[in-house]
Amino acid sequence: GKSLAGEKGKASERSFVMIKPDGVSRQLVGKIITRFEERGYKLVAVKSLTPSPALAKEHYIDLASRPFYKGLVDYITSGTPVVAMVWEGKDVIRQGRRIVGATNPQESDPGSVRGQYAVSVGRNLIHASDSFDSASKEIELWFAESELAEYKPTTWDWVMADN
Ligand code: IDP
Ligand code: MG
């Protein structure tokens, strides 16, 4: 069916963003959400949960052969919850990756979330979809379509203007 990631390159584009357990435990949820909100992106869905091992494994299935895979799944399923979100807006997938920063925080721009708050690649605070196809898969994996809100922020037309 239709992609839950909206339309690539349009204001309806969506990304899956997740604050990992270290971000929740370190009480950075508000600061992280604020970055996306203040940029003008629309919060379409948000929930806090402790992912099952099956969900965490599926989310990271492309990394199944990597030596850190088991540790990664254990980290995500530690028992401290994650905050799973869907953000919407023009170029949100690419901009979301810029807000989050490089995978290894030691290489992340210091203005990014990872570059400001993280040091270790295995505790890098946050996930954001890396492509339109990943966003489609990840939103469908973590959310039901009925959990995705439809509304227009009062800022929308100013922020998402095409010119
Ligand atoms: P990304 O989160 O920036 O998209 P990926 O390469 O997709 O990076 O890796 C997914 C996650 O796996 C990373 O965010 C990080 O938590 C973990 N990870 C990646 N490489 C390593 C590593 O070398 N050691 C430990 N964990 C890693
Ligand atoms: Mg990735």
Side-chain angles (χ1 to χ4, degrees), residues 20 60 63 66 68 72 75-76 97 100-104 114 120-130:
K20 297 178 183 181
Y60 283 122
L63 300 171
R66 307 296 287 276
F68 56 82
L72 175 59
Y75 157 48
I76 297 301
R97 294 287 291 188
V100 163
T103 302
N104 182 347
R114 287 167 172 168
S120 302
V121 67
R123 295 291 182 272
N124 64 2
L125 294 172
I126 183 166
H127 167 88
S129 303
D130 67 4

Coordinates of all heavy atoms in Angstrom, one line a residue, residues 20 60 63 66 68 72 75-76 97 100-104 114 120-130, ligand 1:
K20 N 17.0 6.7 22.3 CA 17.4 5.4 22.8 C 17.4 5.4 24.4 O 17.3 6.5 25.0 CB 18.7 5.0 22.2 CG 18.7 4.8 20.7 CD 20.1 4.5 20.2 CE 20.1 4.4 18.7 NZ 21.5 4.1 18.2
Y60 N 16.9 -3.5 13.6 CA 18.4 -3.5 13.2 C 18.8 -4.7 12.4 O 19.9 -5.1 12.3 CB 19.2 -3.4 14.5 CG 19.2 -2.0 15.1 CD1 18.8 -1.8 16.4 CD2 19.7 -0.9 14.3 CE1 18.9 -0.5 16.9 CE2 19.7 0.4 14.9 CZ 19.3 0.6 16.2 OH 19.4 1.9 16.7
L63 N 21.9 -5.1 10.4 CA 23.2 -5.2 11.1 C 23.4 -6.6 11.7 O 24.3 -6.7 12.5 CB 23.3 -4.1 12.1 CG 23.2 -2.7 11.6 CD1 23.1 -1.7 12.7 CD2 24.4 -2.3 10.7
R66 N 26.8 -8.1 12.2 CA 27.9 -7.3 12.8 C 28.2 -7.8 14.2 O 27.3 -8.3 14.9 CB 27.5 -5.9 12.8 CG 27.1 -5.3 11.4 CD 28.2 -5.3 10.4 NE 29.2 -4.3 10.7 CZ 29.1 -3.1 10.3 NH1 28.1 -2.7 9.6 NH2 30.0 -2.2 10.6
F68 N 28.6 -6.3 16.9 CA 28.0 -5.5 18.0 C 26.5 -5.7 18.0 O 25.8 -5.1 18.8 CB 28.3 -4.0 17.8 CG 28.0 -3.4 16.5 CD1 26.7 -3.0 16.2 CD2 29.0 -3.2 15.5 CE1 26.4 -2.4 15.0 CE2 28.7 -2.7 14.3 CZ 27.3 -2.2 14.0
L72 N 23.9 -4.4 20.8 CA 23.0 -3.3 20.3 C 21.5 -3.7 20.7 O 20.8 -2.8 21.2 CB 23.1 -3.1 18.8 CG 22.2 -2.2 18.1 CD1 22.3 -0.8 18.6 CD2 22.5 -2.2 16.6
Y75 N 21.1 -3.3 24.4 CA 21.0 -1.9 24.8 C 19.6 -1.4 24.6 O 19.0 -0.7 25.5 CB 22.1 -1.2 24.0 CG 22.1 0.3 23.7 CD1 21.8 1.2 24.7 CD2 22.3 0.7 22.4 CE1 21.8 2.6 24.3 CE2 22.4 2.0 22.0 CZ 22.1 3.0 23.0 OH 22.1 4.3 22.7
I76 N 19.1 -1.6 23.4 CA 17.8 -1.1 23.1 C 16.7 -1.7 23.9 O 15.6 -1.1 24.2 CB 17.5 -1.3 21.5 CG1 18.5 -0.5 20.7 CG2 16.1 -0.9 21.2 CD1 18.6 1.0 20.9
R97 N 18.8 13.4 10.0 CA 20.2 12.8 10.1 C 21.2 13.9 10.5 O 22.2 13.6 11.2 CB 20.6 12.1 8.8 CG 19.8 10.9 8.5 CD 20.1 9.7 9.3 NE 21.4 9.1 9.1 CZ 21.8 8.0 9.7 NH1 21.0 7.3 10.5 NH2 23.0 7.5 9.4
V100 N 20.8 14.7 14.2 CA 21.3 13.6 15.0 C 22.8 13.5 15.0 O 23.4 13.3 16.0 CB 20.6 12.3 14.5 CG1 21.4 11.0 15.0 CG2 19.2 12.2 14.9
G101 N 23.4 13.7 13.8 CA 24.9 13.7 13.7 C 25.4 12.3 13.3 O 24.7 11.3 13.3
A102 N 26.7 12.2 13.0 CA 27.3 11.0 12.6 C 27.2 9.9 13.6 O 27.1 10.1 14.8 CB 28.8 11.3 12.3
T103 N 27.2 8.6 13.1 CA 27.0 7.5 13.9 C 28.0 7.4 15.1 O 27.6 7.2 16.3 CB 27.2 6.2 13.1 OG1 26.3 6.2 12.0 CG2 27.0 4.9 13.9
N104 N 29.2 7.7 14.9 CA 30.2 7.7 15.9 C 30.3 9.1 16.5 O 30.7 10.1 15.8 CB 31.6 7.3 15.4 CG 32.7 7.3 16.5 OD1 32.5 7.8 17.6 ND2 33.8 6.7 16.2
R114 N 24.2 14.0 18.9 CA 25.3 13.1 19.3 C 26.6 13.9 19.6 O 27.3 13.6 20.6 CB 25.6 12.1 18.2 CG 24.5 11.0 18.1 CD 24.6 10.2 16.9 NE 23.7 9.1 16.8 CZ 23.4 8.4 15.7 NH1 24.0 8.7 14.6 NH2 22.6 7.4 15.7
S120 N 30.3 7.7 23.0 CA 30.5 6.3 22.6 C 29.6 6.0 21.5 O 28.4 6.3 21.6 CB 30.3 5.4 23.8 OG 31.1 5.7 24.8
V121 N 30.1 5.2 20.5 CA 29.2 4.8 19.4 C 28.1 3.8 19.8 O 27.0 3.8 19.3 CB 30.1 4.2 18.2 CG1 30.7 2.9 18.6 CG2 29.2 4.0 17.0
G122 N 28.4 3.1 20.9 CA 27.5 2.1 21.4 C 26.4 2.8 22.4 O 25.5 2.1 22.8
R123 N 26.6 4.0 22.6 CA 25.6 4.8 23.5 C 25.4 6.2 22.9 O 25.7 7.2 23.5 CB 26.2 4.9 24.9 CG 26.4 3.6 25.7 CD 25.0 2.9 26.0 NE 25.2 1.7 26.8 CZ 25.4 0.5 26.3 NH1 25.4 0.3 24.9 NH2 25.5 -0.6 27.0
N124 N 24.9 6.2 21.6 CA 24.8 7.4 20.9 C 23.4 8.0 20.9 O 23.1 8.8 20.0 CB 25.4 7.2 19.5 CG 24.6 6.2 18.7 OD1 23.6 5.7 19.1 ND2 25.0 5.9 17.4
L125 N 22.6 7.7 21.8 CA 21.4 8.5 22.3 C 20.2 8.4 21.4 O 19.0 8.5 21.9 CB 21.8 10.0 22.4 CG 22.7 10.3 23.5 CD1 23.1 11.8 23.4 CD2 22.1 10.1 24.9
I126 N 20.3 8.3 20.1 CA 19.2 8.6 19.2 C 19.4 7.9 17.9 O 20.5 7.6 17.4 CB 19.1 10.1 19.0 CG1 17.9 10.5 18.2 CG2 20.4 10.7 18.5 CD1 17.5 12.0 18.2
H127 N 18.2 7.5 17.3 CA 18.2 6.9 15.9 C 17.3 7.8 15.0 O 16.3 8.4 15.5 CB 17.5 5.6 16.0 CG 17.1 5.0 14.6 ND1 17.9 4.3 13.8 CD2 15.9 5.2 13.9 CE1 17.3 4.0 12.7 NE2 16.1 4.5 12.7
A128 N 17.7 7.9 13.8 CA 16.8 8.6 12.8 C 17.0 7.8 11.4 O 18.1 7.4 11.1 CB 17.2 10.0 12.5
S129 N 15.9 7.6 10.7 CA 15.9 6.9 9.5 C 16.9 7.5 8.5 O 17.1 8.7 8.4 CB 14.5 7.0 8.8 OG 13.5 6.5 9.7
D130 N 17.6 6.6 7.8 CA 18.7 7.0 6.9 C 18.3 7.2 5.4 O 19.1 7.6 4.6 CB 19.9 6.1 7.0 CG 19.6 4.7 6.5 OD1 18.6 4.4 6.0 OD2 20.6 3.9 6.7
Ligands
IDP1 P1 23.1 5.1 12.6 O1 22.4 4.9 13.9 O2 23.9 6.4 12.6 O3 22.2 4.9 11.5 P2 24.1 2.4 12.0 O4 25.3 2.2 11.2 O5 22.8 2.2 11.3 O6 24.2 3.9 12.5 O7 24.2 1.6 13.3 C1 23.0 1.5 14.1 C2 23.5 1.6 15.5 O8 24.3 0.5 15.9 C3 24.3 2.9 15.9 O9 23.5 4.0 16.1 C4 25.0 2.4 17.1 O10 24.1 2.5 18.3 C5 25.2 1.0 16.9 N1 26.6 0.8 16.3 C6 27.0 1.0 15.1 N2 28.3 0.8 15.0 C7 28.7 0.3 16.2 C8 30.0 -0.2 16.7 O11 31.0 -0.2 16.0 N3 30.0 -0.6 18.0 C9 28.9 -0.5 18.8 N4 27.7 -0.1 18.3 C10 27.6 0.3 17.0

